[in-house]
């Protein structure tokens, strides 16, 4: 078959398709191909070597040594014949070869006297290019060289396969990333819409619990709080699927009353038990009162399992039980069980019921409802505890789900419900940027209970106006607001206003990486909604402390010390020694209206504060001096002393660490 016949053969189109799959034509030089070409030149001892690919009309050179060109017309190339073969084509002396002895590149041009070319064959058998060794003198390869050329050819094809698969994987990755982004956007919106009203429910319940209530009302509030917290856990884990999938769900250990937790679950779910179901709770007499573990996760697991048992049992019994199965000096091993006399599970379905979106039978979804997510979540949560869940069941005879969790021992004998006390930070002035009316009302009450002042802006634009007209200690920033959202507002405050005021994000999104986005945007703290009062207070204390540490500037001391570390240390030690007592003196003087003492102490403190470049605090001392001279301290000045005590305490702590 001649060359023309080969071109029109049915395999040529398939060969070209195989070549185009690699997207290698007209690409930039690559070290891996250049190294392979150098290796061919070295192995064969020739001055010319190349790796090329042949399309419809040309031989395109991907890598070459001694050739000096990147394109050769296909019809005049040696390699047009090589790709028609299945093995190495070797021409020891082109002068003695009838096909090539009159070729322009033999009698002139490159003066090719020796040629060896091996086809680059794809895994599906198509020759898409060649590896060639060329010399100006006649020669013959030995078996080792021929074998080496074959190995290099396979290596080049492997490179192409790997490169193509990486491109395909990258394309699939982009599709997957787009799908994840779409899912995250959906989850973010759903999360926000559910968390916002839940924030109000939990928040106002916490506030109500701090008022004077009867014993019965306290029981009701306690049940609402626990139910709200359980709902929050479910919302966190089910809506925030990316959190579960990426392994960000963790076990939070704390002391809790295991018996009370089980009784709460029982009381919470007994309203679901119909009159045909006997709903029981059996607790081992040796069950400890207090253990250290995660009550929220235990609650979530048992509520899910018990809810299923009640749903799939139309008559008979449902029993929750807990018993000690082992004990060491440091921990208890407790077996939990949920047993029912319901519809049961076919034996052939027992291995699949813990998979996502799976029910024992299709008819169950139609008859009882449900998403099929519950048991999968239960399985993951139990595995997070380092153990596994087991199930025993017979169709129409009921099921039993059981698992063993290890809990650390504790010396605690009681768990007391504590309200959040007012923090001794003085009257911090806080700006809240929040558009939701319920959240505004809730946060205002909480912040007021802390003893702080609060101004409310309905969106970021109004918040910026407030900040331009007033002085605030920090900002609580919602992320989703009209006009300017939390991110846009923060960016404006940081870049346009050049303000370093602490900003705490408060958001109902709470998705994976949201906190990182907030910090990247220039915020200093992060509190997810629904929020706990103690979490918000701790965030406020933390950002205020961070700001104080940022304000401390040792530049002036470094200049004074003239590189004498002992002098610098003496100055720091004097400050640490004197400031706490001076603050106490100043506080007493302000309380009893001792203007002369307040003026003297403030003046002395101002000098020390200026050395450490604490300008804002120094300005406060100046204000005390001025008011002392007039014989009257303003309420704002007196309130500020508590903030000063906290600030100076943090300054001292920081300076003690750098000694």
């Amino acid at each position: 078959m001649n060359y023309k016949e080969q071109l029109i053969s049915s395999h040529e189109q398939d060969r070209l398709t195989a070549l185009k799959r690699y997207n290698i034509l007209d690409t930039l030089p690559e070290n891996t191909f250049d190294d392979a070409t150098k290796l061919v030149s070295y192995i064969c001892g020739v001055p010319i070597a190349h790796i090329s690919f042949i399309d419809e009309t040309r031989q395109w050179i991907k890598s070459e040594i001694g050739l000096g060109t990147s394109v050769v017309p296909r019809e005049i190339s040696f390699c047009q014949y090589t790709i028609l073969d299945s093995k190495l084509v070797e021409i020891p002396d082109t002068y003695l070869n009838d096909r090539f002895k009159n070729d322009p590149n033999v009698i002139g041009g490159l003066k090719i006297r020796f040629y060896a070319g091996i086809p680059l064959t794809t895994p599906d058998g198509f020759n898409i290019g060649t590896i060639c060794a060329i010399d100006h003198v006649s020669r013959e390869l030995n078996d080792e060289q021929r074998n080496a050329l074959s190995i290099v050819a396979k290596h080049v094809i492997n490179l192409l396969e790997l490169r193509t698969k990486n491109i395909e994987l990258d394309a699939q990755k982009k599709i997957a990333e787009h799908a994840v982004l779409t899912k995250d956007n959906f989850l973010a919106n759903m999360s926000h819409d559910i968390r916002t009203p839940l924030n109000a429910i939990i928040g106002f319940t916490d506030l109500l619990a701090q008022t004077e209530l009867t014993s019965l009302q306290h029981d009701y509030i306690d049940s609402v709080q626990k139910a709200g917290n359980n709902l929050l856990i479910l919302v966190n884990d089910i809506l925030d699927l990316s959190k579960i999938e990426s392994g960000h769900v963790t076990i939070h250990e704390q002391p809790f009353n295991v018996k009370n937790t089980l009784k709460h679950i029982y009381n919470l779910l007994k309203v679901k038990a119909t009159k045909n179901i006997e709903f029981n709770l059996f607790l081992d007499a040796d069950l400890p009162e207090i253990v250290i573990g995660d009550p929220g996760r235990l609650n979530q697991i048992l509520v899910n399992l018990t809810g299923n048992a009640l749903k799939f049992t139309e008559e008979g019994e449902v029993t929750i039980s807990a018993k000690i199965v082992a004990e060491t000096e440091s921990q208890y091993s407790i077996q939990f069980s949920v047993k029912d006399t319901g519809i049961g599970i076919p034996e052939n379905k027992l291995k699949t019921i813990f998979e996502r979106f799976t029910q024992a039978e299709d008819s169950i979804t139609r008859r009882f409802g449900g998403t099929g997510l519950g048991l999968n979540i239960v399985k993951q949560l139990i595995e997070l505890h380092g153990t596994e869940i087991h199930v025993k069941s017979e169709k129409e005879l009921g099921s039993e789900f059981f698992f063993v969790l290890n809990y650390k021992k504790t010396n605690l004998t009681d768990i007391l419900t504590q309200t959040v006390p007012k923090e001794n930070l003085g009257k911090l002035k806080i700006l809240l940027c929040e558009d939701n009316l319920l959240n505004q009302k809730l946060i205002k009450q909480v912040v007021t209970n802390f003893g702080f002042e609060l101004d409310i802006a309905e969106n970021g634009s109004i918040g910026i106006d407030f900040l331009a007209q007033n002085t605030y200690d920090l900002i609580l920033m919602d992320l989703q607001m009209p006009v300017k959202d939390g991110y846009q507002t923060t960016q404006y405050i940081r870049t346009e206003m050049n303000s370093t005021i602490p900003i705490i994000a408060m958001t109902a999104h709470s998705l994976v990486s949201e906190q990182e986005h907030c910090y990247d945007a220039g915020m200093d703290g992060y509190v997810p909604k629904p929020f706990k009062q103690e979490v918000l207070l701790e965030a406020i204390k933390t950002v205020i402390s961070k700001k104080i540490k940022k304000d401390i500037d040792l530049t002036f001391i470094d200049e004074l010390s003239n590189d004498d570390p002992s002098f610098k240390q003496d100055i720091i030690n004097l400050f640490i020694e004197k400031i706490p007592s001076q603050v106490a003196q100043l506080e007493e003087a302000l309380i009893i209206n001792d203007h002369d003492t307040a003026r003297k102490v403030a003046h002395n403190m101002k000098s020390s504060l200026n050395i450490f470049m604490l300008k804002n605090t120094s300005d406060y001392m100046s204000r005390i001096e001025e008011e002392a001279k007039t014989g009257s301290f303003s309420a704002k000045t007196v309130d500020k002393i508590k903030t000063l005590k906290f600030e100076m305490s943090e300054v001292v702590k920081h300076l003690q660490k750098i000694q």
Side-chain angles (χ1 to χ4, degrees):
M1 183 181 290
N2 62 37
Y3 170 64
K4 297 284 186 186
E5 291 172 329
Q6 287 285 355
L7 274 181
I8 61 174
S9 71
S10 60
H11 295 295
E12 176 64 9
Q13 193 56 50
D14 293 336
R15 190 192 71 81
L16 293 173
T17 299
L19 170 62
K20 290 175 181 177
R21 172 178 170 265
Y22 292 107
N23 290 310
I24 190 68
L25 296 175
D26 302 308
T27 55
L28 294 173
E30 297 177 55
N31 289 334
T32 50
F33 290 94
D34 290 342
D35 289 344
T37 302
K38 292 174 185 176
L39 186 59
V40 169
S41 174
Y42 174 77
I43 290 170
C44 298
V46 296
I48 301 172
H50 66 76
I51 297 173
S52 64
F53 299 93
I54 299 175
D55 63 11
E56 298 95 327
T57 60
R58 61 181 177 152
Q59 177 183 6
W60 179 76
I61 315 297
K62 172 64 177 176
S63 175
E64 56 87 14
I65 290 177
L67 195 60
T69 186
S70 61
V71 178
V72 175
R74 174 172 173 169
E75 60 186 15
I76 66 168
S77 69
F78 279 38
C79 294
Q80 63 175 306
Y81 302 104
T82 303
I83 64 170
L84 302 180
D85 214 320
S86 59
K87 58 185 184 301
L88 175 71
V89 173
E90 183 178 354
I91 304 172
D93 191 339
T94 54
Y95 288 177
L96 304 178
N97 186 283
D98 291 338
R99 175 174 283 170
F100 295 112
K101 64 183 179 181
N102 296 317
D103 189 282
N105 274 318
V106 172
I107 60 178
L110 292 173
K111 298 186 181 298
I112 297 173
R113 189 73 181 271
F114 166 79
Y115 170 90
I118 187 166
L120 295 173
T121 306
T122 67
D124 45 1
F126 295 107
N127 294 340
I128 59 172
T130 60
I131 290 181
C132 296
I134 298 171
D135 204 344
H136 304 302
V137 297
S138 61
R139 63 169 57 245
E140 188 171 346
L141 300 179
N142 58 40
D143 289 341
E144 287 80 7
Q145 290 171 319
R146 295 186 186 101
N147 186 51
L149 276 180
S150 177
I151 292 172
V152 174
K154 290 176 182 177
H155 172 68
V156 169
I157 286 294
N158 288 337
L159 284 175
L160 289 173
E161 282 290 314
L162 180 61
R163 168 198 175 104
T164 302
K165 283 181 170 57
N166 285 338
I167 292 172
E168 291 171 352
L169 284 173
D170 187 58
Q172 292 298 321
K173 180 183 175 184
K174 289 178 180 177
I175 293 172
E177 287 174 347
H178 179 72
V180 169
L181 181 62
T182 302
K183 181 199 73 173
D184 283 350
N185 287 336
F186 169 76
L187 289 175
N189 291 328
M190 285 296 295
S191 176
H192 182 271
D193 291 345
I194 292 175
R195 290 176 199 269
T196 297
L198 188 57
N199 177 53
I201 293 169
I202 293 176
F204 282 116
T205 303
D206 287 345
L207 289 174
L208 186 58
Q210 296 174 33
T211 63
E212 292 186 10
L213 301 171
T214 67
S215 177
L216 182 60
Q217 288 171 329
H218 268 300
D219 287 341
Y220 290 159
I221 289 296
D222 184 59
S223 293
V224 173
Q225 285 178 313
K226 288 179 178 176
N229 290 331
N230 290 338
L231 178 57
L232 178 58
I233 291 172
L234 290 170
V235 169
N236 285 343
D237 287 349
I238 296 175
L239 284 184
D240 202 356
L241 287 176
S242 60
K243 188 176 179 182
I244 297 176
E245 291 168 353
S246 59
H248 284 76
V249 175
T250 55
I251 301 300
H252 300 286
E253 293 188 339
Q254 64 185 72
F256 74 99
N257 190 310
V258 65
K259 290 183 178 179
N260 285 350
T261 297
L262 293 167
K263 289 174 183 177
H264 167 69
I265 295 169
Y266 174 76
N267 291 329
L268 189 68
L269 294 176
K270 67 181 179 181
V271 296
K272 291 187 176 182
T274 65
K275 61 181 180 180
N276 297 324
I277 298 176
E278 183 180 339
F279 187 28
N280 304 306
L281 174 64
F282 291 147
L283 302 179
D284 188 349
D286 297 327
L287 204 65
E289 289 287 337
I290 306 296
V291 297
I292 296 178
D294 193 329
R297 298 304 176 196
L298 176 61
N299 209 313
Q300 188 176 355
I301 292 166
L302 290 178
V303 165
N304 211 316
L305 292 175
T306 309
N308 278 350
L310 291 169
K311 181 168 66 172
F312 298 135
T313 303
E314 295 179 322
E315 61 179 1
E317 296 181 11
V318 172
T319 301
I320 305 173
S321 63
K323 64 180 180 180
I324 294 282
V325 292
E327 180 179 356
T328 67
E329 290 185 1
S330 60
Q331 71 176 26
Y332 299 103
S333 295
I334 304 176
Q335 178 175 292
F336 300 92
S337 168
V338 177
K339 189 174 183 179
D340 65 66
T341 58
I343 63 174
I345 304 166
E347 186 177 355
N348 63 340
K349 297 291 185 180
L350 288 176
K351 292 183 179 180
T352 62
I353 57 169
F354 293 105
E355 295 176 3
R356 281 188 182 179
F357 308 107
T358 299
Q359 301 275 24
E361 294 180 2
D362 293 339
S363 61
I364 289 177
T365 302
R366 294 191 296 272
R367 183 177 171 190
F368 297 99
T371 63
L373 274 175
L375 287 179
N376 179 262
I377 293 174
V378 165
K379 179 175 182 289
Q380 291 188 69
L381 292 176
I382 291 174
E383 288 175 350
L384 276 175
H385 286 80
T387 185
E388 57 185 14
I389 187 169
H390 305 275
V391 57
K392 295 189 294 187
S393 184
E394 289 186 48
K395 193 168 183 180
E396 304 303 335
L397 294 178
S399 305
E400 181 181 10
F401 291 84
F402 57 98
F403 55 95
V404 175
L405 298 183
N406 296 318
Y407 289 122
K408 294 177 183 176
K409 290 184 175 181
T410 176
N411 293 325
L412 295 176
T413 58
D414 195 14
I415 296 178
L416 299 176
T417 303
Q418 297 179 346
T419 59
V420 180
K422 293 182 180 179
E423 184 62 32
N424 191 24
L425 292 176
K427 278 192 176 297
L428 294 179
K429 191 167 184 181
I430 297 174
L431 174 62
L432 170 65
C433 295
E434 168 68 68
D435 64 312
N436 185 278
L437 292 176
L438 273 176
N439 284 339
Q440 288 177 5
K441 186 175 180 181
L442 170 63
I443 295 171
K444 184 174 181 62
Q445 186 62 53
V446 170
V447 169
T448 302
N449 285 353
F450 290 161
F452 308 148
E453 294 181 9
L454 186 75
D455 285 345
I456 299 174
E458 296 176 359
N459 59 57
S461 181
I462 296 174
I464 289 169
D465 292 339
F466 274 46
L467 189 59
Q469 298 169 17
N470 302 281
T471 301
Y472 296 99
D473 293 294
L474 65 95
I475 301 173
L476 301 178
M477 184 77 71
D478 184 36
L479 295 185
Q480 277 200 345
M481 294 181 291
V483 187
K484 276 188 185 294
D485 64 23
Y487 291 113
Q488 294 167 330
T489 305
T490 299
Q491 183 180 20
Y492 186 91
I493 291 170
R494 295 294 186 237
T495 58
E496 300 297 325
M497 302 182 76
N498 292 319
S499 174
T500 59
I501 184 171
I503 300 175
I504 298 175
M506 297 189 73
T507 174
H509 277 177
S510 193
L511 288 174
V512 176
S513 79
E514 188 73 58
Q515 185 170 350
E516 185 178 341
H517 293 331
C518 292
Y519 289 136
D520 289 343
M523 302 183 202
D524 305 278
Y526 177 90
V527 175
K529 298 176 186 174
F531 67 89
K532 285 292 185 182
Q533 296 178 54
E534 58 269 26
V535 173
L536 175 59
L537 182 57
E538 188 60 33
I540 291 173
K541 290 171 62 178
T542 299
V543 298
I544 292 293
S545 299
K546 285 181 181 177
K547 184 178 187 304
I548 292 167
K549 291 174 185 177
K550 288 179 183 177
D551 288 343
I552 298 173
D553 189 341
L554 301 179
T555 304
F556 185 61
I557 296 178
D558 289 334
E559 292 176 358
L560 288 176
S561 69
N562 196 25
D563 296 327
D564 182 355
S566 61
F567 175 81
K568 178 179 177 180
Q569 194 59 58
D570 287 343
I571 295 293
I572 292 175
N573 288 339
L574 279 172
F575 185 92
I576 292 172
E577 180 183 342
K578 286 187 174 183
I579 281 294
S581 60
Q582 288 178 327
V583 171
Q585 281 182 274
L586 186 60
E587 181 182 28
E588 183 180 356
L590 288 174
I591 292 173
I592 65 175
N593 278 314
D594 183 348
H595 303 105
D596 189 51
T597 299
R599 181 181 59 79
K600 291 178 181 178
V601 174
H603 182 77
N604 288 333
M605 284 182 65
K606 187 165 65 173
S607 300
S608 300
L609 295 167
N610 286 334
I611 291 175
F612 288 87
M613 313 287 278
L614 294 165
K615 184 179 182 306
N616 290 336
T617 314
S618 176
D619 290 345
Y620 173 51
M621 295 301 111
S622 296
R623 188 163 72 245
I624 291 176
E625 282 189 274
E626 292 300 320
E627 291 184 3
K629 290 176 184 178
T630 65
S632 176
F633 295 123
S634 66
K636 185 175 182 180
T637 297
V638 175
D639 285 336
K640 178 71 175 175
I641 191 64
K642 292 183 179 179
T643 306
L644 175 70
K645 286 176 66 177
F646 175 77
E647 290 177 349
M648 289 302 99
S649 173
E650 292 300 312
V651 169
V652 168
K653 287 179 186 176
H654 181 66
L655 291 176
Q656 286 172 336
K657 288 179 181 178
I658 64 175
Q659 287 192 83

